[in-house]
Amino acid sequence: MTASGQKTKFLTCERNWVYFTLTAVAGFWGAYTYLLRGNVFCNAQTGNVVLMAMALGSAKWAEALYYLIPLSAYILGAFVSELMPNPVKHHLPVRWDTLLIAIEILAIFLLGLLPESAPVQIAQVGINFIASMQYNTFRQAEGIPVATTFATNHIRQIGVGLAKELRHRRTGDKSHRPKLARHAEMLFFFASGAVVGTVFCHLLVGRAIWITALPMAVIFGTLLHADLTTERALVERKPSGH
């Protein structure tokens, strides 16, 4: 398909490079919260559910109650991101996807201002909230369902893709390869973001998170330009997966 055909088929907010950038940023956040903000991964909530259940099983009621805070922040992020797209595009000249990136940049700036002595829960809940909104908003990279905030599904999909590679080795069927490649790329960028995040967390401590504002600003500028110019007439079109 030609480049112009690709642009027609997919919105700018669905482009592969946008997803690669977002997942690299999420990998950075994972390193940031683990190294500097309480040794937890805030991009997903499986760990918090397990920790809450363990606290309940150990009769540590106050500790168990605390985990309702990050879980509620994640639920609230999904709730807000599900309701906002239509009001935003009908009252503002931009899509929700674009506004969300601006919100994330603001959150990144504020988190970078936190002193090292600040309660780690502030950063944890902040990342919980914006990661949930990002996960629920950016769902498909050029037609392939992916997650931008954690790696588990990419690892699973790579296993599935390799199994299909083996199964179809004699049939010549290569239809699974684009999906396999996409998940492998997403995993690579997530891990790369975590590596970069680790380096900068050691160098800059809490302000390291400001590094992620740079790639997010590139995404924001690109999406804003598309909303105001090339995709202005496509405001009613929903990104794939919504």
Side-chain angles (χ1 to χ4, degrees):
M1 181 178 292
T2 64
S4 60
Q6 283 287 84
K7 289 180 181 179
T8 301
K9 184 176 180 181
F10 300 111
L11 296 168
T12 302
C13 61
E14 300 175 80
R15 306 301 296 171
N16 286 332
W17 74 266
V18 171
Y19 279 73
F20 295 156
T21 305
L22 288 176
T23 199
V25 166
F28 192 114
W29 290 347
Y32 166 79
T33 56
Y34 188 85
L35 291 172
L36 304 176
R37 303 301 183 188
N39 300 114
V40 295
F41 300 112
C42 295
N43 299 352
Q45 293 302 298
T46 303
N48 281 332
V49 173
V50 173
L51 290 170
M52 182 176 69
M54 290 170 62
L56 288 172
S58 303
K60 298 178 180 178
W61 312 121
E63 184 178 331
L65 189 62
Y66 161 73
Y67 288 108
L68 291 177
I69 298 175
L71 290 172
S72 297
Y74 210 85
I75 291 171
L76 181 61
F79 178 82
V80 170
S81 62
E82 193 67 23
L83 293 180
M84 289 300 290
N86 283 334
V88 167
K89 70 184 180 182
H90 291 150
H91 292 88
L92 296 174
V94 299
R95 289 177 170 274
W96 161 247
D97 314 68
T98 307
L99 180 60
L100 172 58
I101 298 299
I103 292 171
E104 292 190 62
I105 292 173
L106 176 61
I108 289 166
F109 175 73
L110 294 176
L111 290 174
L113 292 177
L114 291 175
E116 303 311 308
S117 58
V120 297
Q121 290 82 1
I122 297 175
Q124 290 176 5
V125 171
I127 296 294
N128 290 151
F129 183 63
I130 60 176
S132 175
M133 290 196 293
Q134 181 177 303
Y135 174 42
N136 192 51
T137 299
F138 292 89
R139 301 182 184 182
Q140 290 193 16
E142 297 189 12
I144 296 179
V146 294
T148 61
T149 57
F150 53 87
T152 304
N153 186 54
H154 302 310
I155 297 171
R156 181 182 73 87
Q157 292 291 351
I158 289 171
V160 171
L162 291 175
K164 290 181 178 179
E165 185 74 20
L166 180 63
R167 184 184 305 149
H168 299 307
R169 67 189 186 282
R170 295 179 180 176
T171 66
D173 183 359
K174 300 178 181 179
S175 60
H176 61 283
R177 288 188 176 177
K179 187 174 181 180
L180 171 60
R182 189 67 43 79
H183 286 288
E185 290 165 337
M186 292 290 286
L187 180 60
F188 170 79
F189 280 99
F190 187 90
S192 297
V195 170
V196 174
T198 300
V199 172
F200 279 101
C201 283
H202 288 314
L203 293 174
L204 303 177
V205 198
R207 293 187 179 182
I209 196 171
W210 283 346
I211 298 295
T212 62
L214 299 177
M216 296 294 276
V218 173
I219 295 177
F220 175 73
T222 303
L223 297 187
L224 181 63
H225 179 266
D227 288 345
L228 299 179
T229 58
T230 58
E231 295 178 358
R232 189 173 182 179
L234 302 176
V235 66
E236 292 296 332
R237 180 172 156 188
K238 293 182 178 180
S240 300
H242 287 264

